[in-house]
Amino acid sequence: MEYAVQVCGEDHVSIGTDGILYKTIIGDTSRAEQKKFFDERAKRGIAAPGEGADIFNIVAEWDDHLRFRHLADGLAAAGWSGGGSKRCWGAI
């Protein structure tokens, strides 16, 4: 992410969480949805290296209702300024 900011500038780089505010439950339904999601991306040739039908993009330690707080704290711990951090995760 730091490289992307160096290349594009902090006003043009953003990350976030997927919007749900509860712990991800991995069961038959979510496995089927992940497989469908991956298969479509692979078919279109846009799957990322390491992506797979059985790989969930979850940071286990951040997978709870405080994920936005974890994101902000992680950016601060990595040395991001308050303004740069807020722009990065879409707060301003």
Side-chain angles (χ1 to χ4, degrees):
M1 189 161 123
E2 291 181 8
Y3 177 73
V5 170
Q6 289 173 1
V7 171
C8 303
E10 65 184 22
D11 289 331
H12 304 286
V13 176
S14 177
I15 62 172
T17 69
D18 287 336
I20 58 173
L21 297 177
Y22 50 85
K23 186 166 184 63
T24 304
I25 298 171
I26 299 177
D28 292 341
T29 301
S30 59
R31 284 186 178 91
E33 290 171 353
Q34 174 62 22
K35 182 178 182 336
K36 180 180 176 184
F37 173 76
F38 171 75
D39 288 348
E40 179 61 29
R41 288 174 55 81
K43 179 177 147 186
R44 294 174 56 200
I46 60 171
E51 194 172 337
D54 60 346
I55 299 173
F56 289 80
N57 298 322
I58 298 169
V59 178
E61 298 83 13
W62 292 8
D63 188 27
D64 61 24
H65 67 285
L66 297 174
R67 63 184 62 195
F68 287 101
R69 178 59 183 251
H70 299 311
L71 175 58
D73 290 348
L75 290 169
W80 286 73
S81 69
S85 174
K86 287 179 182 176
R87 272 190 295 282
C88 178
W89 56 272
I92 57 174

